[in-house]
Amino acid sequence: MNNTNEQKMENFLEQLSEKRRTNLLPSLLKAQELYGYISEEVALKISKVLKVAPADIYGVIEFYSLLYSKPTAETVIRVCTSPLCSLKGADKIKQALFKKLNVEDGVPSTDGRFMVESVQCLGLCDQAPAVMVNNRAVCNIDDDSIDLLINGGGPGSKNNYYSDNPVITKRFGKIDPLSIDDFIKEDGFKGFFHALTFTKDELIYAVKSSGLKGRGGAGYPTGLKEQGAVAVEGRETYVICNADESEPGTFKDRIMLSSDPYSVLEGILITAYIVGAKKGYIYIRGEYSEVHDIFTKVIENATKAGYLGENIQGSGLSFDLEIRSGAGAYICGEETALFESIEGKRGYPRNKPPFPIENGLFGKPTIINNVETFSYLAQVISDKKRVVLTQGGSPSGTKLFCLSGDLVRPGMYELPFGTKLSEVINDWAGGVPDGEIGSIILGGASGSFVPEKYWNIPLDDQSLRAVGLALGSGVIMVFNKDRDILKILSDITVFFKHESCGKCYPCQQGTQYQNEIITRLGKGICYKDDSEKLEDIGLTMKDASLCGLGQTASSAVLSAMKIWPNLFEVSKGEVE
Amino acid sequence: MLTIYINDLELEVEEGSTILEASEKIGIKIPTICFHDRLTPPGLCRQCVVEVEGARVLMPSCITKVREGMKIKTDSERVVRARRTILEMLSSSTDLSESPDLLEQMKIYKAEDGRFENSSKRNFKVKDDNPFYMRDYSKCILCERCVQVCSADIQFSYALTTAGRGYNNRITTFFDRKLPETSCVFCGNCVAVCPTGALIASNEFNVKALGEK
Ligand SMILES: Cc1cc2nc3c(=O)[nH]c(=O)nc-3n(C[C@H](O)[C@H](O)[C@H](O)COP(=O)(O)O)c2cc1C
Ligand code: SF4
Ligand code: FES
């Protein structure tokens, strides 16, 4: 064992202010960074310092994809194999890398220099195919970039965003994202100061009447959540920003946090003011190390400028924000799994009730919102007219849409609610290059295929709900006519099989069997009761799973079965 | 007291009771797997789900508390489908031969044994690393009771954990060490609560093996 690494690990553990289980993930991530894996010896050391049972530590290491109990390699190349990257040739890239480096999937080379591993969505879907080389994203990979990326080069990631009437993206490109002065010059913190002139009840009323709903996928009214959290005033309360973004097709939070991070901080501060919280966390997915670095600076600068810490801007509000890094688990975006993760445990969702606003992180009332929700909240409150709104209305304003797949201009679009689906695809994203739309998925891997008769539907909650569709986190995936539906479904079902936490039976087992059947169908082998089996599995997951992951893991399959029933039937010809 | 309706039957139940308790009171049997009356209910098997009017998804009756006016169906089509499919998937992945209760449930719900292809059937070698008990994880249904009793629910030994994720979850020890090399004190609580014969006292195992020959 390397001496200096040992010293570094020791120092890391030594400087931890809380030597408790909550620091387990940060400690394991540190060990992973230093040694490339977590040995028994290091795990035992961490166990002693944090007073966590060794078996529990092993359970945690084995849960998270970015933690390893066996040596990895100097350079780990993670190839995204989720639907969008798969479509654009991820498999070819993987095979080329295996061959060139003479390795197998997930097994380090004998000299310990390289490891190539298939992974799930990296949040770079608009620049597919993409890989991570250690902490560096390499995007739009073609045959030429393979040698480059092995040698530390290759095209990096970009922030592709477009809007002609920006609300929360209005500062994008105009400011240095790290400069708090730039932010302030562009009306930054206006919402926060505005909030200070109102009572909590007035603010909650303003948020409620603005119609703002959560942008993380579930769409719960933000004002109602705040009201619920205030109701338990007097108890210690936490505010959490959910930046775990791992839904295939979603990359908006990455762009938001790297283009205007202070606006997210502003929303967090306003929320802390409303619910009386003194401490908050921002949980950033482990693969977004650039975002992690940006937000570290943001916290540093904001603390220096008096926007974090004691008595913020003389308001009487004291608030601290801590960054927590995920470690490779989509399920940790689910709010209660995220709490477990911050508490240093396997990312198992909790049964609800109790709900986070009564019993969340460390058993305390907790308000958790998505990155986009916080940024929007700051806008809602900074707008004087909205704050004095007297009548509630339908969700007004704009939404961030993530477009990916076979498109001329994939990327993030800030557009008004109610914009037509076809308009977003054809007018904004430039339509399908040299071809026609074959199919559309709305909502990400957990979303559904959109029947052709709805391709013109206005993108707002009411219109979509009326026909059984949902916007989710705002993902629109577009596939051209040549794309194989079963291949898309195979990639989606692999995703869920890989990301199911395994706590509850319907999803633990259902994601496995769903994928087995779909993969076999993709190979042209069909049995006569396949549709029936897929329906039993799909509806059981939807109805009986413990959390949103299992409840939506069959959406894409079930929707495809309605649109293209013959893909799942023996009439297809091959096998009985 | 609260008034609720189970399968259209009106009944008075105490506030704070679960749907499972309320149903038992009037003799309606709801199947359970992970529930154990002396342990914290983890609510993970979902075999006890029922349909509650107004709820989007089915509710686990073992942990869902009754509410005034609640209308519950314990045997609707959705409920029966979920229970049957859960059993069919379990029997496709796991050796249930020593789980009489589950075999009985399969009969009741007309579940087809091994209905799903088992290219991924869970097959493990029996772990025989101590004089007291053996671990045959091909029979493990991941109810996590053993981990519970080994940890804060009873023993505070913390020798066991769930490792892996999703379908690849498995019960194991620190770095898969042999039991004598862990904090296990061989209290036997895990063997006592295991419902499937995955954990079995060594002498009992040997007797069974002899019987089969
Ligand atoms: C499997 C799963 C993954 C999720 N991932 C995220 C995520 O990455 N980011 C997020 O904001 N919400 C995610 N959510 C939703 C959160 O549970 C929660 O509803 C959300 O953070 C609340 O914030 P909002 O009200 O602002 O949307 C996920 C939910 C599920 C079931
Ligand atoms: S639905 Fe899936 S992800 Fe959610 S608790 Fe169950 S096994 Fe875990
Ligand atoms: S008995 Fe397992 S969830 Fe209720």
Side-chain angles (χ1 to χ4, degrees):
Chain A
M1 200 177 280
N2 190 319
N3 246 334
T4 55
N5 278 344
E6 207 159 59
Q7 200 56 52
K8 279 184 195 152
M9 192 68 223
E10 196 110 355
N11 292 346
F12 178 86
L13 292 171
E14 187 53 39
Q15 57 80 44
L16 287 173
S17 56
E18 290 179 293
K19 297 191 175 42
R20 294 192 297 129
R21 184 158 188 169
T22 177
N23 274 314
L24 181 55
L25 232 58
S27 304
L28 293 173
L29 282 163
K30 188 73 191 175
Q32 180 65 43
E33 175 198 321
L34 290 173
Y35 303 105
Y37 78 114
I38 301 142
S39 64
E40 287 191 44
E41 196 184 335
V42 172
L44 285 173
K45 161 143 264 162
I46 294 173
S47 158
K48 219 172 248 148
V49 176
L50 300 183
K51 299 177 190 68
V52 184
D56 286 359
I57 295 187
Y58 187 59
V60 168
I61 297 173
E62 293 284 285
F63 185 85
Y64 293 94
S65 298
L66 294 177
L67 301 176
Y68 301 79
S69 59
K70 294 197 182 71
T72 55
E74 262 165 58
T75 305
V76 179
I77 304 178
R78 298 190 167 84
V79 184
C80 173
T81 56
S82 282
L84 285 320
C85 285
S86 169
L87 208 69
K88 305 272 172 132
D91 197 54
K92 234 178 82 192
I93 295 167
K94 220 169 61 182
Q95 298 305 334
L97 285 167
F98 290 160
K99 202 163 153 216
K100 198 146 258 166
L101 298 169
N102 192 22
V103 289
E104 282 169 51
D105 203 340
V107 183
S109 60
T110 37
D111 60 3
R113 284 184 58 216
F114 288 100
M115 180 164 121
V116 180
E117 191 179 34
S118 308
V119 298
Q120 296 304 319
C121 185
L122 294 169
L124 300 162
C125 326
D126 58 332
Q127 305 163 64
V131 308
M132 300 280 305
V133 182
N134 287 343
N135 286 334
R136 191 172 51 90
V138 185
C139 301
N140 291 314
I141 295 165
D142 52 23
D143 293 343
D144 298 335
S145 29
I146 288 185
D147 279 319
L148 278 174
L149 75 88
I150 291 175
N151 298 314
S157 69
K158 289 194 296 265
N159 293 333
N160 300 320
Y161 54 84
Y162 313 85
S163 181
D164 64 354
N165 193 4
V167 177
I168 53 172
T169 59
K170 66 181 179 191
R171 297 190 192 93
F172 284 27
K174 278 203 211 156
I175 57 167
D176 167 2
L178 288 177
S179 162
I180 196 165
D181 295 332
D182 277 17
F183 176 72
I184 292 169
K185 262 184 227 136
E186 292 291 328
D187 287 343
F189 293 123
K190 201 172 130 193
F192 175 67
F193 287 112
H194 202 195
L196 297 178
T197 65
F198 289 90
T199 67
K200 295 178 177 191
D201 287 343
E202 284 169 331
L203 287 168
I204 290 169
Y205 182 67
V207 181
K208 273 173 39 184
S209 50
S210 77
L212 180 61
K213 287 189 186 167
R215 302 289 172 89
Y220 192 79
T222 308
L224 274 183
K225 208 188 267 188
E226 290 165 353
Q227 191 170 36
V230 166
V232 284
E233 209 177 3
R235 292 174 61 195
E236 198 178 342
T237 305
Y238 294 104
V239 177
I240 297 180
C241 176
N242 189 341
D244 192 49
E245 185 164 82
S246 314
E247 174 80 38
T250 318
F251 42 86
K252 64 190 179 72
D253 297 343
R254 170 177 56 79
I255 299 183
M256 190 77 230
L257 287 168
S258 33
S259 306
D260 190 7
Y262 291 99
S263 71
V264 180
L265 175 65
E266 184 177 354
I268 296 173
L269 283 179
I270 294 170
T271 308
Y273 175 71
I274 294 176
V275 303
K278 293 198 170 51
K279 168 98 197 199
Y281 293 86
I282 175 166
Y283 187 97
I284 303 174
R285 74 174 290 189
E287 292 84 348
Y288 285 178
S289 57
E290 259 171 67
V291 175
H292 195 285
D293 294 345
I294 290 173
F295 226 84
T296 306
K297 293 246 170 57
V298 164
I299 290 180
E300 232 174 77
N301 294 345
T303 308
K304 254 188 244 152
Y307 286 94
L308 279 173
E310 292 292 311
N311 192 15
I312 293 171
Q313 302 296 313
S315 66
L317 171 73
S318 297
F319 183 73
D320 280 313
L321 186 62
E322 189 176 332
I323 303 180
R324 283 307 177 97
S325 180
Y330 165 66
I331 189 56
C332 290
E334 196 282 337
E335 52 196 19
T336 59
L338 190 150
F339 303 154
E340 294 281 304
S341 186
I342 295 182
E343 292 178 10
K345 303 180 191 151
R346 293 163 59 79
Y348 268 9
R350 301 174 184 167
N351 277 296
K352 289 187 248 187
F355 291 95
I357 52 170
E358 350 163 326
N359 186 329
L361 182 65
F362 304 124
K364 301 278 168 35
T366 303
I367 183 159
I368 175 165
N369 282 124
N370 174 254
V371 169
E372 183 187 345
T373 313
F374 279 124
S375 187
Y376 221 95
L377 177 69
Q379 283 310 311
V380 167
I381 300 296
S382 69
D383 185 338
K384 270 217 166 67
K385 288 197 297 291
R386 266 187 232 256
V387 172
V388 292
L389 260 184
T390 48
Q391 274 299 311
S394 60
S396 52
T398 58
K399 168 86 192 83
L400 300 180
F401 294 98
C402 297
L403 278 98
S404 56
D406 296 312
L407 290 168
V408 173
R409 278 185 306 277
M412 183 185 94
Y413 292 80
E414 181 178 10
L415 300 172
F417 276 110
T419 309
K420 292 205 165 104
L421 179 58
S422 54
E423 189 185 330
V424 179
I425 295 174
N426 291 318
D427 302 351
W428 283 96
V432 174
D434 313 316
E436 281 174 68
I437 302 176
S439 57
I440 304 170
I441 291 183
L442 199 60
S446 57
S448 312
F449 280 101
V450 182
E452 193 164 345
K453 61 180 173 204
Y454 301 131
W455 286 1
N456 253 324
I457 200 164
L459 296 171
D460 61 68
D461 293 334
Q462 295 95 313
S463 314
L464 291 169
R465 198 175 319 122
V467 301
L469 290 167
L471 208 47
S473 53
V475 176
I476 301 172
M477 301 179 185
V478 179
F479 308 99
N480 70 30
K481 281 219 144 82
D482 300 329
R483 299 296 185 188
D484 176 0
I485 300 293
L486 285 171
K487 172 67 179 144
I488 299 170
L489 288 177
S490 164
D491 292 332
I492 287 177
T493 54
V494 166
F495 171 79
F496 283 112
K497 174 175 97 159
H498 192 264
E499 298 303 326
S500 164
C501 81
K503 176 172 177 175
C504 75
Y505 291 6
C507 170
Q508 172 207 98
Q509 304 258 334
T511 51
Q512 172 72 27
Y513 290 117
Q514 174 177 263
N515 176 249
E516 276 192 27
I517 297 173
I518 294 290
T519 305
R520 176 169 47 66
L521 285 170
K523 291 183 186 144
I525 306 167
C526 183
Y527 300 139
K528 69 172 184 301
D529 53 354
D530 278 343
S531 317
E532 227 174 280
K533 281 182 180 164
L534 283 172
E535 204 170 76
D536 276 347
I537 296 171
L539 293 175
T540 299
M541 282 201 276
K542 182 175 171 192
D543 264 349
S545 291
L546 192 156
C547 87
L549 188 148
Q551 287 160 13
T552 58
S554 57
S555 307
V557 171
L558 293 175
S559 67
M561 286 172 69
K562 281 210 187 102
I563 304 178
W564 305 283
N566 56 332
L567 285 180
F568 306 86
E569 283 164 8
V570 170
S571 58
K572 209 170 81 152
E574 285 83 359
V575 182
E576 171 74 10
Chain B
M1 294 298 259
L2 301 175
T3 308
I4 63 166
Y5 305 84
I6 300 187
N7 301 341
D8 296 325
L9 232 81
E10 183 178 320
L11 78 148
E12 302 265 299
V13 288
E14 257 170 67
E15 211 174 322
S17 24
T18 62
I19 297 177
L20 183 66
E21 287 162 348
S23 306
E24 263 166 11
K25 254 175 93 174
I26 52 167
I28 291 180
K29 176 120 178 72
I30 296 176
T32 60
I33 301 177
C34 66
F35 183 78
H36 186 291
D37 54 9
R38 284 167 51 210
L39 302 176
T40 317
L44 58 76
C45 76
R46 320 304 277 185
Q47 184 67 348
C48 67
V49 286
V50 294
E51 195 166 336
V52 174
E53 199 176 285
R56 184 175 48 89
V57 291
L58 303 175
M59 308 300 282
S61 61
C62 67
I63 49 172
T64 305
K65 300 257 161 69
V66 293
R67 278 193 325 268
E68 177 60 33
M70 209 179 220
K71 294 198 174 71
I72 299 153
K73 295 262 188 274
T74 63
D75 271 312
S76 71
E77 201 183 317
R78 283 167 71 193
V79 167
V80 170
R81 181 206 300 266
R83 291 188 190 150
R84 174 176 47 78
T85 309
I86 288 173
L87 291 167
E88 289 176 335
M89 295 196 291
L90 264 189
S91 74
S92 303
S93 57
T94 316
D95 173 2
L96 301 181
S97 61
E98 306 282 329
S99 318
D101 182 42
L102 288 177
L103 294 175
E104 181 62 28
Q105 286 189 28
M106 290 192 58
K107 259 192 232 149
I108 295 171
Y109 288 95
K110 301 196 174 57
E112 186 186 325
D113 187 14
R115 178 175 177 218
F116 298 100
E117 48 222 282
N118 54 9
S119 59
S120 48
K121 192 166 177 105
R122 292 180 175 137
N123 262 320
F124 301 97
K125 270 208 343 234
V126 176
K127 291 193 171 162
D128 180 11
D129 57 15
N130 70 83
F132 307 103
Y133 73 99
M134 296 164 114
R135 297 176 288 155
D136 180 2
Y137 287 126
S138 309
K139 296 197 177 87
C140 171
I141 55 169
L142 293 166
C143 64
E144 302 195 0
R145 274 186 200 170
C146 52
V147 182
Q148 271 189 299
V149 297
C150 189
S151 314
D153 259 38
I154 296 190
Q155 191 62 31
F156 293 93
S157 285
Y158 296 97
L160 297 174
T161 181
T162 309
R165 198 161 78 191
Y167 188 80
N168 296 318
N169 269 356
R170 62 202 164 92
I171 306 296
T172 188
T173 56
F174 179 64
F175 278 81
D176 307 318
R177 281 186 183 178
K178 293 184 172 134
L179 275 171
E181 293 160 24
T182 69
S183 50
C184 173
V185 295
F186 301 97
C187 66
N189 279 318
C190 55
V191 181
V193 294
C194 176
T196 66
L199 302 181
I200 187 164
S202 294
N203 45 10
E204 198 185 333
F205 186 92
N206 292 334
V207 169
K208 276 212 177 99
L210 277 179
E212 275 162 21
K213 277 204 185 116

